Amino acid sequence: MLTVLDWILLAVAASLIGFAKTAVGGVAGLAIAVFAVVLPARESTGAVLTLLLVGDLIAVRLYRHHADWSMLLRLLPSVLPGLALGAWFVAVADQSLMRGGIGAALLAMALLQLWSRRRARVRDRQEPREPQGPRERPRGRIRALAGTAAPFSVGVIAGFATMTANAAGPVMTMYLLMAGMPVLGLLGTGAWFFFLVNLAKVPFSAGLQLIDGATLLLDLALVPPLLAGAVVGARVASRIPRRRFEDITLVLTALAAGALLV
């Protein structure tokens, strides 16, 4: 039985999911941690998945014209092996292992984010600065990225992280940021990516009994705060500088991981 405090925490977490889908994706990590604390860790993944799909629909509606489909087509096929591996982990893990696994996945994403930022700074110092047009620079960064994080590897990691902890946001965010994508392009590409991936997760989650009638009723009650968060996020998304966007993602991912691992 959920207490009043539990409902307040879940409502705040749902609003953070809405905000994450229309603004700063890293905020979702904090929401995932709250759900894993209030609910049994294993069942929390199913509750979060349904809310994520609602947020995905909103994000797709808002940012659908900003998606980079060539990048999506490179990433999506490699997600399936990661989903299958993640489903196996969820099937064999107990509650404490799931809680630790969610925290570890979030922490790994934060460390990946720090590593990629450090690598980018080193590369910027080593490479000569040459004038580039606004459309040439992103392509150059994508080519540079191919040597460090192939789309297949990113897709597999994202599939595993999203199946076990709904925590693929940071790795995708950093991949797209390293590719030189602007904030709106990141939001549009991420919106379609996570909508399609989360939709593919539904049969896995249903088969593992992570989604049932009680889960759907709980999520239905949390849709209003999610919508409120999405409205706020949509209003601030275009005003967030890229550097601030990265910083917020990193801090919130680390906080979410710490809350589950301590």
Side-chain angles (χ1 to χ4, degrees):
M1 179 68 69
L2 296 176
T3 66
V4 174
L5 178 59
D6 291 337
W7 278 108
I8 293 173
L9 290 173
L10 291 177
V12 171
S15 68
L16 291 177
I17 289 175
F19 185 84
K21 288 300 181 180
T22 57
V24 183
V27 175
L30 192 58
I32 290 165
V34 171
F35 269 84
V37 169
V38 174
L39 303 176
R42 191 171 184 274
E43 285 74 9
S44 72
T45 60
V48 170
L49 174 58
T50 308
L51 290 174
L52 289 175
L53 277 168
V54 176
D56 288 333
L57 288 172
I58 298 171
V60 166
R61 178 68 179 84
L62 289 175
Y63 304 121
R64 63 190 183 280
H65 298 305
H66 299 282
D68 184 335
W69 279 98
S70 63
M71 183 172 289
L72 283 170
L73 292 174
R74 290 196 299 271
L75 287 167
L76 285 170
S78 59
V79 172
L80 292 177
L83 288 178
L85 184 61
W88 169 82
F89 177 81
V90 173
V92 301
D94 59 17
Q95 294 292 352
S96 61
L97 186 58
M98 274 296 299
R99 183 183 172 97
I102 293 172
L106 292 172
L107 180 60
M109 296 304 102
L111 292 174
L112 174 64
Q113 192 168 348
L114 280 173
W115 173 82
S116 62
R117 287 178 62 169
R118 179 179 178 278
R119 191 176 183 89
R121 286 196 298 268
V122 172
R123 185 178 66 244
D124 289 341
R125 287 197 298 266
Q126 293 175 345
E127 291 180 353
R129 295 188 177 184
E130 298 178 358
Q132 293 179 321
R135 294 185 181 180
E136 294 173 355
R137 188 169 182 82
R139 292 194 187 106
R141 289 186 178 180
I142 291 172
R143 287 195 295 270
L145 180 64
T148 59
F152 180 82
S153 300
V154 172
V156 172
I157 294 170
F160 180 81
T162 194
M163 189 67 229
T164 57
N166 293 304
V171 67
M172 280 299 301
T173 297
M174 287 313 302
Y175 181 80
L176 298 177
L177 283 171
M178 288 171 65
M181 191 167 288
V183 172
L184 286 177
L186 186 150
L187 290 170
T189 305
W192 277 107
F193 178 85
F194 286 111
F195 171 66
L196 295 173
V197 169
N198 286 331
L199 201 60
K201 285 161 55 180
V202 171
F204 291 98
S205 296
L208 293 167
Q209 298 181 335
L210 302 178
I211 299 176
D212 55 21
T215 300
L216 295 176
L217 286 175
L218 172 69
D219 287 336
L220 184 62
L222 296 174
V223 167
L226 184 150
L227 294 176
V231 170
V232 174
R235 291 182 177 179
V236 303
S238 61
R239 300 180 177 90
I240 301 175
R242 274 178 59 91
R243 184 69 178 184
R244 184 65 57 83
F245 190 96
E246 296 178 38
D247 291 340
I248 294 172
T249 299
L250 174 60
V251 171
L252 291 177
T253 302
L255 286 174
L260 291 171
L261 292 173
V262 172

